[in-house]
Amino acid sequence: MSGRISRAGLLVILAFLVPVIVEFRTLAALFGVSLSVGQYLVAVTGLVMAVLLAVTAWNLRAGTTADDHTGGA
Amino acid sequence: MNVHTYEKIWLVASLFLIVGFIATVVYGAAGAGIAMVDASGGTVDSTSLSENERFGEPGVERVGDGEYEVTVVARQFMYQPDPIRVPADSRVTFYVTSADVIHGFQVVGTNVNTMVIPGQVAKITVDFDEPAEYGIICNEYCGQGHHDMEGKLVVVPEDEYGGDDA
Amino acid sequence: MTSEELPGEELFLDRFPDEAQVVRASLWSAFVALGIGALAGIVQALHRVGYVRFIDSADYYTVLTLHGVLLVISFTIFFLVGLFTWAVTRSLDRPVENIRFTWAWYLTMVAGTVLAGVAILGGFVDSIPISADVLFTFYAPLQAHPLFYAGLAVFIIGTWLAGFDWFRSWWIWRSENDGRIPLQTFMVLTSMLMWYIATIGVAISVVFFLLPWSLGIIDQVNPLLTRTLFWYFGHPVVYFWLMPAYLLWYTVLPSISGGRLFSDPLARVVFVLFLILSTPVGIHHQYLDPGIAEGFKFIAMTNTMFLLLPSLLTAFTVVASMEHGARQRGGEGYLSWLGALPWRDPAFTGMALAGLMFAAGGFSGMVNAGMNINYLIHNTLWVPGHFHLTVGTAVALTFMAATYWLLPQLTRRRLYSRTIGLFQVVMWFVGMVLMSNAMHRAGLVGIPRRTAEPQYDGFAFDAGLSSVAELDAQVAIGGTLLFVSVVLFLGNLIISLLEDPMEGTVDRSLPPALSGPEDSPEVLDNLSLWVAIALLLVLLAYSLPIGAIVADGGLFGPGTESYPVVLSWLEVVT
Ligand code: HEM
Ligand SMILES: [Cu+2]
Ligand SMILES: [Cu+2]
């Protein structure tokens, strides 16, 4: 598998999350879940944390198996 | 010319998509009978609307059983008549023209939407089943007061509908 | 392949110093327009939602005219002429024939912009009897000061001369060289042929109707006719904005992703399709116009749907070329190659994000093109939501990203900060996601575009799942991020120019395509054939509708009087 995710890569991943975060309530409503503002904030914070964790985990794993030659320019 | 296999697949899929889109519009027009604003409203001399047979007196007129015609004049920055009152469970044909510049005529929250061009008559037919109140807005820039240009359409219960010019 | 490659040791600036100067001047003109346009943009965004209203709502339309004209006429087209001059010069590897002529068309365009700009700005000052509060579509009988129409005409003449300059280079190159037209030159020539065909409409409208009418020589015009002539031009101009972005996606993006263009022949096919199909579609902007029969609208709709094809093909080629680049850089797997792309390079990230947003814009465009769903969104905020993704991002963000890449070869300066550059392009993406998403949704619930105060007395909009307040907040935050992004972009550039020149060289050579021009049929380079087909389609799509409009209303009627928003100067002097 490929190498670590660079900070620039992380920035782009976070940018991609923005539309999801912004329309999270709409998305949830499509699945019949109506969220209060508080629940919404908790949910999107959780989402961002989850992505950050996943990236860290990926990098830790990749760090032990591959060298960091593909992360950036 | 050498075209990669994946690219050929993509090309064919794209063409299917395009033909599919055209087909849905054809179905909409022919099958479901969604009428478009077209040239059937004819033209009018916008410089002398007050002498025009139809547009001399903008208003609502009953033309048949459950069928109404509404004549609307749009001008900077209002609609005549305002409000427009029609009964529920009716079929209404709007004839809209402009006394000055280009305006829009959109019944908010519905797909009743047309451009209003001086010299041209926009004709749209709509069925109103339920009583309701709608805002009408001008959605084409028509001058400095454009944002103040609004009207109202009231669909009243059939038994409360008093008559044409109420 | 000498002509496709600029020797790596030599900068464009060193090889073609005079041309580089014209390119720089054109790009700077574009960026001045971008800066002022962005300022107008943030004023509009905050005014509409009602957060900050420091201008009078009547002046909102002056600001909006400025925003539209400066961004989609000046910014895009000045960038285009700069980029095309660079592209023709480097791909033919020869200087322009006469640099004086080149400066002449550039100055003509500047003069046109200044004339129109003065007329628009006059709208802010009540004591000056000059105004052009007609928005960039200038629908009669709203009337602008003659300076506005004259400026527009002069600007367009400038672009015609620029096209002649590039054609002349090619004619002379052709007499001295054999073989296929180099790809970048091919793209420039096809784009310009499309532009010549497209501008006929607006030229007739301005020269025969609007200008004489604003001078008082004729009393009235046929509003449906001038509007139809505008849209005859108004759709292909959309592709004129896009063509330089496509040129960059096809010829530069693959190289900055670390690879090569997938297929040169398909790139040519795409540009030929644009040349043929861009014009006979303009009536799709008039689906809701009375006075045009449904059949004509239907023809425009069908052509429009086929016009999706070249863009879909582009999507494939661009992604395939990026993947090839990533694999060259060691990327593997089904999707993990994405990680191997040079995300730290703002030129790459900017173009990639621009391409992605273009795909989103394509989807909302398909809705616009659907003749019947169009009723739901016509003239609502959905429409600006759509084109801020296309021209406002696919084009604008690609131009900004490309500037990062072009900077060293045009100025011998390194970009002051790549990190700021990266933040800038990502910020544009995030800002546009917010603003455009909210605009699309606002449009679906009927909130109109081109309106200073979309808050009405008699009723309120029902925003369904969310609320109008929430959509307003998204527009305001998004608009602010976009504005800050433009400031960062311009600031980064200006500081770069203050730095010391670099020593040595930068390798900016563009590798040839994986599948080269020799794989494509010769007929693709037969430009006269494509022009003939394009003209034929235009005749088929337009002769009957225009005939009917003139037959119904006459060339100069059935209009009304003129509506100058303030008095025109003629009325003042007489
Ligand atoms: C700072 C970034 C920008 C902001 C905040 C912004 C904001 C806006 C807003 C709020 C409107 C809608 C106004 C209305 O309909 O009432 C608008 C319209 C428009 N924008 Fe932008 N915009 C930005 C950048 C751009 C760019 C880069 C382009 C094109 C290259 C562009 C092209 C247009 C056009 C053509 C219109 C329509 C004008 C009209 O209806 O006559 N904008 N913009
Ligand atoms: Cu209006
Ligand atoms: Cu179009």
Side-chain angles (χ1 to χ4, degrees):
Chain A
M1 290 302 263
S2 284
R4 301 157 55 89
I5 292 171
S6 66
R7 275 193 302 185
L10 180 62
L11 184 68
V12 173
I13 293 176
L14 288 178
F16 282 169
L17 274 187
V18 173
V20 182
I21 293 173
V22 171
E23 290 299 337
F24 197 79
R25 281 174 76 193
T26 319
L27 276 180
L30 283 181
F31 292 98
V33 184
S34 65
L35 295 177
S36 72
V37 174
Q39 287 166 326
Y40 162 76
L41 287 177
V42 173
V44 297
T45 316
L47 184 70
V48 174
M49 300 294 276
V51 169
L52 289 178
L53 274 177
V55 168
T56 315
W58 174 271
N59 280 354
L60 285 177
R61 203 196 53 132
T64 59
T65 57
D67 49 348
D68 184 18
H69 67 294
T70 52
Chain B
M1 190 158 105
N2 108 42
V3 180
H4 197 280
T5 322
Y6 287 158
E7 193 144 23
K8 279 189 197 137
I9 297 175
W10 179 265
L11 181 75
V12 171
S14 302
L15 283 170
F16 265 108
L17 184 77
I18 289 169
V19 174
F21 279 136
I22 297 175
T24 59
V25 179
V26 175
Y27 170 75
I34 301 176
M36 312 265 316
V37 177
D38 58 14
S40 62
T43 57
V44 61
D45 182 356
S46 279
T47 50
S48 59
L49 283 184
S50 54
E51 286 134 49
N52 182 277
E53 205 187 319
R54 179 184 289 283
F55 290 98
E57 273 179 72
V60 183
E61 195 184 337
R62 183 165 179 272
V63 290
D65 199 17
E67 291 191 16
Y68 294 81
E69 284 185 0
V70 183
T71 304
V72 182
V73 174
R75 61 175 78 234
Q76 285 177 332
F77 299 101
M78 57 190 263
Y79 295 101
Q80 295 166 294
D82 181 35
I84 299 169
R85 277 165 49 94
V86 293
D89 205 15
S90 63
R91 166 161 292 193
V92 180
T93 303
F94 292 91
Y95 293 86
V96 195
T97 198
S98 162
D100 40 47
V101 299
I102 297 182
H103 296 279
F105 178 85
Q106 178 172 21
V107 180
V108 176
T110 73
N111 63 356
V112 178
N113 192 354
T114 181
M115 300 307 301
V116 185
I117 301 179
Q120 306 288 338
V121 180
K123 181 180 161 200
I124 349 170
T125 301
V126 197
D127 289 337
F128 290 107
D129 298 335
E130 302 291 326
E133 249 187 68
Y134 299 99
I136 297 175
I137 53 174
C138 173
N139 62 15
E140 184 53 271
Y141 166 65
C142 55
Q144 293 191 333
H146 162 61
H147 44 273
D148 293 328
M149 184 156 168
E150 64 173 298
K152 200 168 223 172
L153 172 70
V154 190
V155 184
V156 295
E158 259 177 297
D159 50 359
E160 284 172 31
Y161 185 70
D164 289 352
D165 287 309
Chain C
M1 288 303 303
T2 49
S3 58
E4 276 293 81
E5 272 159 344
L6 185 72
E9 320 80 63
E10 208 172 8
L11 291 179
F12 185 81
L13 168 70
D14 298 331
R15 187 163 176 78
F16 302 109
D18 294 343
E19 287 74 9
Q21 214 176 354
V22 179
V23 177
R24 283 199 306 265
S26 304
L27 262 46
W28 273 114
S29 314
F31 298 147
V32 170
L34 175 67
I36 305 174
L39 187 64
I42 178 90
V43 171
Q44 285 157 214
L46 298 178
H47 191 101
R48 280 187 63 103
V49 300
Y51 289 4
V52 184
R53 284 190 173 156
F54 68 88
I55 53 164
D56 203 44
S57 282
D59 285 335
Y60 179 87
Y61 305 102
T62 313
V63 175
L64 188 56
T65 309
L66 202 64
H67 183 75
V69 171
L70 281 184
L71 286 170
V72 296
I73 304 290
S74 312
F75 164 59
T76 46
I77 300 182
F78 269 118
F79 193 95
L80 176 145
V81 294
L83 187 81
F84 278 10
T85 303
W86 167 81
V88 170
T89 312
R90 74 157 287 289
S91 68
L92 298 180
D93 196 25
R94 64 181 299 128
V96 299
E97 295 314 311
N98 178 348
I99 194 72
R100 287 241 192 81
F101 180 77
T102 305
W103 280 110
W105 59 248
Y106 166 74
L107 291 173
T108 309
M109 289 174 63
V110 172
T113 309
V114 171
L115 290 180
V118 166
I120 298 171
L121 289 174
F124 285 121
V125 190
D126 288 342
S127 54
I128 306 177
I130 293 182
S131 75
D133 298 338
V134 289
L135 307 188
F136 81 104
T137 45
F138 48 92
Y139 296 141
L142 285 173
Q143 197 180 52
H145 190 276
L147 275 182
F148 176 80
Y149 303 114
L152 209 68
V154 170
F155 182 85
I156 289 179
I157 291 171
T159 63
W160 287 348
L161 296 175
F164 173 74
D165 206 3
W166 303 320
F167 266 96
R168 183 165 59 168
S169 288
W170 171 60
W171 286 325
I172 297 174
W173 178 89
R174 192 176 52 173
S175 65
E176 298 167 2
N177 294 268
D178 292 328
R180 308 302 296 261
I181 310 175
L183 184 59
Q184 286 189 329
T185 302
F186 182 87
M187 293 172 160
V188 169
L189 300 182
T190 41
S191 303
M192 289 316 291
L193 289 172
M194 180 194 88
W195 181 244
Y196 286 121
I197 297 177
T199 42
I200 300 170
V202 71
I204 293 178
S205 173
V206 167
V207 174
F208 291 112
F209 299 107
L210 299 175
L211 192 56
W213 170 63
S214 70
L215 287 166
I217 299 169
I218 52 177
D219 287 341
Q220 58 172 39
V221 295
N222 181 336
L224 183 58
L225 178 62
T226 47
R227 184 178 157 87
T228 305
L229 289 171
F230 177 83
W231 284 118
Y232 169 98
F233 152 83
H235 191 83
V237 75
V238 167
Y239 285 96
F240 197 56
W241 304 327
L242 268 174
M243 290 304 89
Y246 273 43
L247 182 146
L248 290 161
W249 294 350
Y250 274 106
T251 64
V252 174
L253 181 60
S255 134
I256 47 186
S257 330
R260 292 157 68 182
L261 171 63
F262 200 64
S263 157
D264 168 300
L266 270 150
R268 288 176 204 251
V269 170
V270 164
F271 275 73
V272 166
L273 284 173
F274 279 124
L275 164 58
I276 295 176
L277 286 173
S278 292
T279 317
V281 298
I283 289 181
H284 69 204
H285 292 261
Q286 298 177 282
Y287 284 154
L288 271 64
D289 281 16
I292 300 180
E294 189 169 349
F296 301 142
K297 296 178 177 172
F298 195 83
I299 293 173
M301 185 275 293
T302 313
N303 289 343
T304 306
M305 292 297 183
F306 277 100
L307 196 45
L308 279 172
L309 187 63
S311 288
L312 288 168
L313 291 179
T314 302
F316 180 92
T317 315
V318 170
V319 175
S321 308
M322 275 174 18
E323 179 177 346
H324 175 255
R327 299 209 186 276
Q328 296 298 102
R329 297 165 59 92
E332 287 163 7
Y334 272 123
L335 282 178
S336 354
W337 58 266
L338 284 170
L341 288 166
W343 294 107
R344 238 155 53 191
D345 179 358
F348 171 79
T349 305
M351 284 197 211
L353 292 178
L356 191 76
M357 290 221 116
F358 189 55
F363 285 115
S364 65
M366 294 174 200
V367 171
N368 302 346
M371 219 153 85
N372 28 30
I373 352 190
N374 184 277
Y375 276 69
L376 199 59
I377 46 87
H378 180 84
N379 269 357
T380 68
L381 209 51
W382 169 286
V383 177
H386 160 73
F387 61 62
H388 279 91
L389 292 178
T390 54
V391 65
T393 298
V395 174
L397 186 56
T398 299
F399 286 1
M400 290 188 269
T403 305
Y404 291 141
W405 181 84
L406 283 166
L407 185 74
Q409 41 174 327
L410 292 176
T411 64
R412 198 168 259 294
R413 300 296 194 286
R414 203 186 306 281
L415 181 62
Y416 168 68
S417 164
R418 273 163 59 109
T419 313
I420 296 179
L422 186 64
F423 269 103
Q424 184 263 319
V425 295
V426 172
M427 191 182 260
W428 187 277
F429 175 83
V430 173
M432 200 51 97
V433 164
L434 292 171
M435 186 170 93
S436 162
N437 170 57
M439 282 176 156
H440 278 98
R441 296 196 43 191
L444 284 179
V445 303
I447 299 181
R449 66 184 284 202
R450 298 188 149 177
T451 300
E453 299 176 18
Q455 295 86 20
Y456 293 87
D457 296 334
F459 66 95
F461 294 103
D462 173 10
L465 289 172
S466 68
S467 62
V468 172
E470 190 186 316
L471 297 177
D472 284 350
Q474 280 189 44
V475 168
I477 299 170
T480 309
L481 291 177
L482 289 169
F483 178 72
V484 174
S485 174
V486 170
V487 172
L488 290 179
F489 170 73
L490 295 176
N492 206 356
L493 276 196
I494 293 171
I495 299 176
S496 309
L497 294 184
L498 301 178
E499 302 272 290
D500 290 331
M502 296 184 298
E503 298 288 329
T505 62
V506 219
D507 187 8
R508 283 290 192 264
S509 53
L510 298 175
L514 284 171
S515 154
E518 59 288 350
D519 288 339
S520 69
E522 294 269 353
V523 63
L524 281 177
D525 287 13
N526 186 344
L527 299 179
S528 340
L529 172 70
W530 305 124
V531 171
I533 297 182
L535 287 172
L536 184 73
L537 286 179
V538 165
L539 274 180
L540 286 177
Y542 269 103
S543 50
L544 290 177
I546 294 208
I549 290 169
V550 174
D552 285 350
L555 274 178
F556 299 102
T560 50
E561 286 135 54
S562 358
Y563 290 85
V565 179
V566 296
L567 293 179
S568 96
W569 62 283
L570 277 174
E571 287 171 61
V572 174
V573 289
T574 51

